[in-house]
Structure formats: C-alpha cells, structure tokens
Amino acid sequence: MSAERATQIMPAGDAATAAAARVLRQRGLVAFPTETVYGLGADAENGEAVARLYEAKGRPSFNPLIAHVLDAAAARRLARFDAAAERLAAQFWPGPLTLVLPKAPNCAVAELATAGLDTIAVRVPSHGVAREILAAFGGPIVAPSANRSGHVSPTTAAHVSGDLKGRVDLIIDGGPAPMGLESTIVACVDDPVLLRPGALAREAIDRVVSLKAGTAAPAADDDDAVIAPGRLASHYAPRAQLRLDASSVHPDETLLAFGAERIADADRAVLTLNLSARGDLIEAAANFFSHLRRLDACGAATIAVMPIPHVGLGEAINDRLRRAAAPR
Ligand code: TXA
Ligand code: MG
C-alpha cells in the first residue's frame, strides 16, 4: 500500500537528533533506541502520522500505543494519576515501566493512538538518545517496538533495518538496547495490576504498591497482542448499532462515509462524517475512532457505514468495524 520510502540510517548524535525532530514534525517515522528495545516513533498528536505507523508495522488491526514523554509532569498532561501511579512514577521514572492510566480530559494524543480507549499507556524512557529526541521534538512520541507485526522486538539498529527498511524515514543507531526486553506494563485504573512482565521485575513493583494477583500475559505467538486485563480489554464499542456495507441511509441513522460516492438517501442522515472524501485509507484511519465517537454522541440508534476497501489500513478499519458491529 504505502509508497516505498528511502530509509536513512544515522549514528546517534546531534545531527541525528535534529533530523529525527524534523522527520517527526513532518509526520514521518523514526526508529530510535530506548533502554528496553528499539521503538518506532511518530508524533503522538497527529492522527495521520500514527496511521502511517500502523501501516509500516503491517498489522491488520489497531493496537493501542505507548506515549513516550520526558517526565512525569508531561505524563500528567496526558493521563490521570492516582496515588499508586504517583508512587510508581516517583520510584521508577525515568525507566522501563509503562503505566496504563485513565486519559486526561484534555489529552492531546490522537484517538487512533489509543485505539479509541479511555485509557492511555505512558512511559518516561531513560535512554539518552530517546530523551534527546523527546527534548528536540518537544511533544509526546508514540512508539511501539520497531518490528514488523508478528516479529520479535528489535534490540539493534540492524534488527530494525531488517524489518523496516523502505517503510520508515529514519533509523537512529545508538548501539544495542541495554536491557533487551520490553518495559513492564502496570495498569493503575482500579487496583494496580501487572499487564505485561518486562524489564522491571514484579518484585520491585510490589515493594512500592501491592499488585493484584495474576497477569494478563499476551499471546505467546504475537508480541503485539492487545493485552486483555478484564475491562481494560474491551475494545472501543459505540452505544449505537452499526450497519456495515450500507448502500443507502435508513431513517434515524447517521452515516460514516468513505470516498466521493453519494449513496441512496444520503441526505436523510442525521449527521454524516466522511472518513476520507478522497478515499485515502491513511486519512480514514486517522479519523476513524473520533468520527465514530462523534456519530455515537449525536444519539441516533444506528450508524450506517459505507464499505471500506479491504486493503492496506482498510483491513484494520474493517476489523474494528466488525468488532463494533458484533451483537453485545
Ligand atoms: O519497552 C517498551 O515498552 C517498548 C519501547 C519502544 O518503549 N515499546 C513497546 O510497545 O513494547 P508495543 O506497542 O510493542 O507494546 C505496547 C503494549 C501492547 O501490547 C499494547 O496492546 C499495550 O502495550 N497497551 C498500550 N496501551 C494500552 C492500554 N491503554 N490498555 C492496555 N494495553 C495497552
Ligand atoms: Mg511490540
């Protein structure tokens, strides 16, 4: 789907940091080392940059991403911290701990990056190169592990290049990732719960807050599986019914449109939002969750959804539409 990109590989340093900030501002993709594994970064506040990131990873569904920031103060602008989260942040940031927290009311991170959830994963990395990029860019950076879907997380620039060359703009080589294991993920939404074991040991966390027993381990065959801890697992689901592959609009329906075509009785729609009038799937992905929310909020019983081509990011959009349309 995406055009082949010329991938530049640069050794870490001032020139690479400046190039990274420039690429991120232009909605591009930059792979960089963190203390855990290499991440593939995009501007967290830009839906199209985030859509490109999903496309580069080649994953047919949208997983929520971790927002990387420089410090706890920046994280508090994105997420609501309870007492346990404050203690964990004070003890372990910067470092290999990711916190899943309720989204802050004015959270500027693109809806697509959190896959429409009301929670957000935030992390303050300690790696010098990651921190320099965050400082130069000046905003939150979403970064999943810099591997293609289904592959293991990369710990060197060569691993990243093997997976993503031609699909990202810039790879920064800062040597092997020191820990070589992804961050530990703890949710502080209700009682603190370990979502993913990782580079920070459970015992260390347990000395600071008491973790609820058990772990929701991701599927062993997929390092990017959505973690499924009870109600955190549930995908974003609209209250309205969804009617997929609509070729006309019925009474009391809103319309989620795609492309330039006008379907029958389109003017009957209570409200119409177009994912991409020019039929661009990257733009459509960037708009997907926020459009769905806005249509749902206007109160009509059903959202009619025009067909979305099942190619590129269309596969991930259709995956989410089918889940949202499933009987509950
Ligand atoms: O060490 C790391 O965490 C690396 C470096 C680059 O920071 N990043 C990383 O990202 O491992 P990723 O996307 O490969 O894994 C993040 C995991 C995914 O399994 C995702 O489903 C989960 O975190 N996650 C993100 N937001 C979530 C949320 N709001 N609720 C539950 N799980 C979430
Ligand atoms: Mg991963």
Side-chain angles (χ1 to χ4, degrees), residues 278-302:
R278 59 188 151 98
D280 177 338
L281 287 164
I282 301 242
E283 185 182 27
N287 287 328
F288 178 65
F289 288 106
S290 48
H291 278 17
L292 217 47
R293 269 184 197 272
R294 277 172 60 200
L295 291 172
D296 204 23
C298 89
T302 305

mmCIF file of all heavy atoms in Angstrom, residues 278-302:
data_model
loop_
_atom_site.group_PDB
_atom_site.id
_atom_site.type_symbol
_atom_site.label_atom_id
_atom_site.label_comp_id
_atom_site.label_asym_id
_atom_site.label_seq_id
_atom_site.Cartn_x
_atom_site.Cartn_y
_atom_site.Cartn_z
ATOM 1 N N ARG A 278 -11.443 11.846 -0.196
ATOM 2 C CA ARG A 278 -10.626 11.494 -1.352
ATOM 3 C C ARG A 278 -10.257 10.011 -1.359
ATOM 4 O O ARG A 278 -9.402 9.561 -2.126
ATOM 5 C CB ARG A 278 -9.385 12.385 -1.435
ATOM 6 C CG ARG A 278 -8.474 12.311 -0.225
ATOM 7 C CD ARG A 278 -7.369 13.381 -0.304
ATOM 8 N NE ARG A 278 -6.929 13.794 1.013
ATOM 9 C CZ ARG A 278 -5.841 13.316 1.624
ATOM 10 N NH1 ARG A 278 -5.068 12.443 1.021
ATOM 11 N NH2 ARG A 278 -5.533 13.721 2.829
ATOM 12 N N GLY A 279 -10.866 9.233 -0.456
ATOM 13 C CA GLY A 279 -10.657 7.787 -0.478
ATOM 14 C C GLY A 279 -9.272 7.352 -0.032
ATOM 15 O O GLY A 279 -8.772 6.319 -0.457
ATOM 16 N N ASP A 280 -8.656 8.133 0.865
ATOM 17 C CA ASP A 280 -7.300 7.826 1.352
ATOM 18 C C ASP A 280 -7.411 7.049 2.669
ATOM 19 O O ASP A 280 -7.960 7.541 3.654
ATOM 20 C CB ASP A 280 -6.560 9.158 1.532
ATOM 21 C CG ASP A 280 -5.162 8.982 2.104
ATOM 22 O OD1 ASP A 280 -4.897 7.945 2.745
ATOM 23 O OD2 ASP A 280 -4.345 9.881 1.924
ATOM 24 N N LEU A 281 -6.880 5.823 2.693
ATOM 25 C CA LEU A 281 -7.056 4.968 3.877
ATOM 26 C C LEU A 281 -6.236 5.446 5.076
ATOM 27 O O LEU A 281 -6.591 5.176 6.221
ATOM 28 C CB LEU A 281 -6.728 3.518 3.527
ATOM 29 C CG LEU A 281 -7.818 2.865 2.656
ATOM 30 C CD1 LEU A 281 -7.299 1.591 2.007
ATOM 31 C CD2 LEU A 281 -9.064 2.574 3.477
ATOM 32 N N ILE A 282 -5.132 6.153 4.827
ATOM 33 C CA ILE A 282 -4.357 6.725 5.942
ATOM 34 C C ILE A 282 -5.184 7.808 6.634
ATOM 35 O O ILE A 282 -5.304 7.833 7.862
ATOM 36 C CB ILE A 282 -3.026 7.317 5.429
ATOM 37 C CG1 ILE A 282 -2.206 6.215 4.749
ATOM 38 C CG2 ILE A 282 -2.283 8.048 6.536
ATOM 39 C CD1 ILE A 282 -0.885 5.894 5.343
ATOM 40 N N GLU A 283 -5.768 8.683 5.829
ATOM 41 C CA GLU A 283 -6.635 9.721 6.393
ATOM 42 C C GLU A 283 -7.834 9.079 7.094
ATOM 43 O O GLU A 283 -8.258 9.508 8.173
ATOM 44 C CB GLU A 283 -7.115 10.664 5.277
ATOM 45 C CG GLU A 283 -7.925 11.824 5.807
ATOM 46 C CD GLU A 283 -8.454 12.752 4.697
ATOM 47 O OE1 GLU A 283 -8.654 12.291 3.558
ATOM 48 O OE2 GLU A 283 -8.658 13.932 4.997
ATOM 49 N N ALA A 284 -8.373 8.032 6.497
ATOM 50 C CA ALA A 284 -9.532 7.343 7.080
ATOM 51 C C ALA A 284 -9.192 6.750 8.446
ATOM 52 O O ALA A 284 -9.969 6.874 9.399
ATOM 53 C CB ALA A 284 -10.024 6.249 6.129
ATOM 54 N N ALA A 285 -8.026 6.125 8.543
ATOM 55 C CA ALA A 285 -7.618 5.539 9.824
ATOM 56 C C ALA A 285 -7.453 6.627 10.878
ATOM 57 O O ALA A 285 -7.876 6.472 12.023
ATOM 58 C CB ALA A 285 -6.315 4.761 9.662
ATOM 59 N N ALA A 286 -6.846 7.742 10.462
ATOM 60 C CA ALA A 286 -6.616 8.841 11.413
ATOM 61 C C ALA A 286 -7.940 9.367 11.965
ATOM 62 O O ALA A 286 -8.025 9.773 13.116
ATOM 63 C CB ALA A 286 -5.833 9.962 10.733
ATOM 64 N N ASN A 287 -8.989 9.363 11.147
ATOM 65 C CA ASN A 287 -10.289 9.899 11.572
ATOM 66 C C ASN A 287 -11.190 8.869 12.236
ATOM 67 O O ASN A 287 -12.221 9.225 12.815
ATOM 68 C CB ASN A 287 -11.039 10.449 10.347
ATOM 69 C CG ASN A 287 -10.443 11.752 9.855
ATOM 70 O OD1 ASN A 287 -9.925 12.536 10.655
ATOM 71 N ND2 ASN A 287 -10.512 11.968 8.556
ATOM 72 N N PHE A 288 -10.835 7.597 12.127
ATOM 73 C CA PHE A 288 -11.787 6.524 12.413
ATOM 74 C C PHE A 288 -12.433 6.613 13.803
ATOM 75 O O PHE A 288 -13.655 6.722 13.930
ATOM 76 C CB PHE A 288 -11.102 5.160 12.223
ATOM 77 C CG PHE A 288 -11.988 4.003 12.530
ATOM 78 C CD1 PHE A 288 -13.111 3.744 11.760
ATOM 79 C CD2 PHE A 288 -11.727 3.182 13.609
ATOM 80 C CE1 PHE A 288 -13.944 2.683 12.041
ATOM 81 C CE2 PHE A 288 -12.553 2.105 13.896
ATOM 82 C CZ PHE A 288 -13.660 1.866 13.115
ATOM 83 N N PHE A 289 -11.627 6.550 14.859
ATOM 84 C CA PHE A 289 -12.206 6.494 16.208
ATOM 85 C C PHE A 289 -12.913 7.796 16.578
ATOM 86 O O PHE A 289 -13.960 7.771 17.225
ATOM 87 C CB PHE A 289 -11.139 6.143 17.244
ATOM 88 C CG PHE A 289 -10.689 4.713 17.167
ATOM 89 C CD1 PHE A 289 -9.452 4.391 16.646
ATOM 90 C CD2 PHE A 289 -11.509 3.682 17.592
ATOM 91 C CE1 PHE A 289 -9.027 3.065 16.572
ATOM 92 C CE2 PHE A 289 -11.109 2.353 17.516
ATOM 93 C CZ PHE A 289 -9.864 2.049 17.001
ATOM 94 N N SER A 290 -12.361 8.923 16.167
ATOM 95 C CA SER A 290 -13.003 10.186 16.554
ATOM 96 C C SER A 290 -14.319 10.380 15.804
ATOM 97 O O SER A 290 -15.298 10.862 16.384
ATOM 98 C CB SER A 290 -12.055 11.369 16.357
ATOM 99 O OG SER A 290 -11.463 11.316 15.097
ATOM 100 N N HIS A 291 -14.378 9.985 14.537
ATOM 101 C CA HIS A 291 -15.654 10.077 13.812
ATOM 102 C C HIS A 291 -16.714 9.170 14.439
ATOM 103 O O HIS A 291 -17.866 9.561 14.616
ATOM 104 C CB HIS A 291 -15.463 9.686 12.345
ATOM 105 C CG HIS A 291 -14.933 10.806 11.484
ATOM 106 N ND1 HIS A 291 -14.328 11.923 12.011
ATOM 107 C CD2 HIS A 291 -14.934 10.976 10.133
ATOM 108 C CE1 HIS A 291 -13.978 12.732 11.013
ATOM 109 N NE2 HIS A 291 -14.333 12.184 9.866
ATOM 110 N N LEU A 292 -16.294 7.950 14.769
ATOM 111 C CA LEU A 292 -17.237 7.008 15.372
ATOM 112 C C LEU A 292 -17.803 7.585 16.680
ATOM 113 O O LEU A 292 -18.998 7.524 16.951
ATOM 114 C CB LEU A 292 -16.509 5.685 15.629
ATOM 115 C CG LEU A 292 -17.272 4.385 15.433
ATOM 116 C CD1 LEU A 292 -18.047 4.342 14.125
ATOM 117 C CD2 LEU A 292 -16.301 3.199 15.498
ATOM 118 N N ARG A 293 -16.925 8.167 17.478
ATOM 119 C CA ARG A 293 -17.372 8.771 18.742
ATOM 120 C C ARG A 293 -18.350 9.905 18.503
ATOM 121 O O ARG A 293 -19.343 10.046 19.220
ATOM 122 C CB ARG A 293 -16.180 9.316 19.524
ATOM 123 C CG ARG A 293 -15.584 8.319 20.478
ATOM 124 C CD ARG A 293 -14.481 8.986 21.283
ATOM 125 N NE ARG A 293 -13.656 7.961 21.892
ATOM 126 C CZ ARG A 293 -13.930 7.415 23.080
ATOM 127 N NH1 ARG A 293 -14.983 7.811 23.774
ATOM 128 N NH2 ARG A 293 -13.153 6.481 23.568
ATOM 129 N N ARG A 294 -18.053 10.752 17.538
ATOM 130 C CA ARG A 294 -18.930 11.910 17.297
ATOM 131 C C ARG A 294 -20.293 11.452 16.781
ATOM 132 O O ARG A 294 -21.327 11.994 17.171
ATOM 133 C CB ARG A 294 -18.282 12.882 16.313
ATOM 134 C CG ARG A 294 -17.293 13.818 17.000
ATOM 135 C CD ARG A 294 -16.504 14.644 16.006
ATOM 136 N NE ARG A 294 -17.349 15.490 15.180
ATOM 137 C CZ ARG A 294 -16.955 16.003 14.017
ATOM 138 N NH1 ARG A 294 -15.754 15.734 13.538
ATOM 139 N NH2 ARG A 294 -17.761 16.771 13.322
ATOM 140 N N LEU A 295 -20.304 10.454 15.915
ATOM 141 C CA LEU A 295 -21.590 9.951 15.410
ATOM 142 C C LEU A 295 -22.384 9.325 16.549
ATOM 143 O O LEU A 295 -23.595 9.527 16.675
ATOM 144 C CB LEU A 295 -21.358 8.932 14.287
ATOM 145 C CG LEU A 295 -20.797 9.518 12.984
ATOM 146 C CD1 LEU A 295 -20.431 8.406 12.007
ATOM 147 C CD2 LEU A 295 -21.807 10.472 12.334
ATOM 148 N N ASP A 296 -21.696 8.577 17.392
ATOM 149 C CA ASP A 296 -22.348 7.916 18.518
ATOM 150 C C ASP A 296 -22.950 8.959 19.463
ATOM 151 O O ASP A 296 -24.055 8.780 19.978
ATOM 152 C CB ASP A 296 -21.308 7.061 19.249
ATOM 153 C CG ASP A 296 -21.950 5.923 20.017
ATOM 154 O OD1 ASP A 296 -23.085 5.521 19.660
ATOM 155 O OD2 ASP A 296 -21.316 5.427 20.963
ATOM 156 N N ALA A 297 -22.219 10.054 19.660
ATOM 157 C CA ALA A 297 -22.643 11.068 20.630
ATOM 158 C C ALA A 297 -23.903 11.798 20.189
ATOM 159 O O ALA A 297 -24.602 12.379 21.021
ATOM 160 C CB ALA A 297 -21.515 12.075 20.851
ATOM 161 N N CYS A 298 -24.229 11.763 18.900
ATOM 162 C CA CYS A 298 -25.396 12.543 18.477
ATOM 163 C C CYS A 298 -26.699 11.787 18.722
ATOM 164 O O CYS A 298 -27.777 12.324 18.502
ATOM 165 C CB CYS A 298 -25.239 13.038 17.041
ATOM 166 S SG CYS A 298 -25.858 11.903 15.832
ATOM 167 N N GLY A 299 -26.625 10.550 19.207
ATOM 168 C CA GLY A 299 -27.806 9.906 19.774
ATOM 169 C C GLY A 299 -28.656 9.058 18.845
ATOM 170 O O GLY A 299 -29.593 8.417 19.300
ATOM 171 N N ALA A 300 -28.381 9.037 17.544
ATOM 172 C CA ALA A 300 -29.187 8.207 16.639
ATOM 173 C C ALA A 300 -28.965 6.726 16.962
ATOM 174 O O ALA A 300 -27.915 6.344 17.485
ATOM 175 C CB ALA A 300 -28.807 8.494 15.185
ATOM 176 N N ALA A 301 -29.966 5.897 16.639
ATOM 177 C CA ALA A 301 -29.923 4.493 17.053
ATOM 178 C C ALA A 301 -28.876 3.702 16.269
ATOM 179 O O ALA A 301 -28.269 2.765 16.785
ATOM 180 C CB ALA A 301 -31.297 3.858 16.859
ATOM 181 N N THR A 302 -28.664 4.074 15.020
ATOM 182 C CA THR A 302 -27.805 3.256 14.154
ATOM 183 C C THR A 302 -26.848 4.130 13.363
ATOM 184 O O THR A 302 -27.208 5.218 12.908
ATOM 185 C CB THR A 302 -28.674 2.441 13.167
ATOM 186 O OG1 THR A 302 -29.623 1.678 13.921
ATOM 187 C CG2 THR A 302 -27.826 1.496 12.332
#
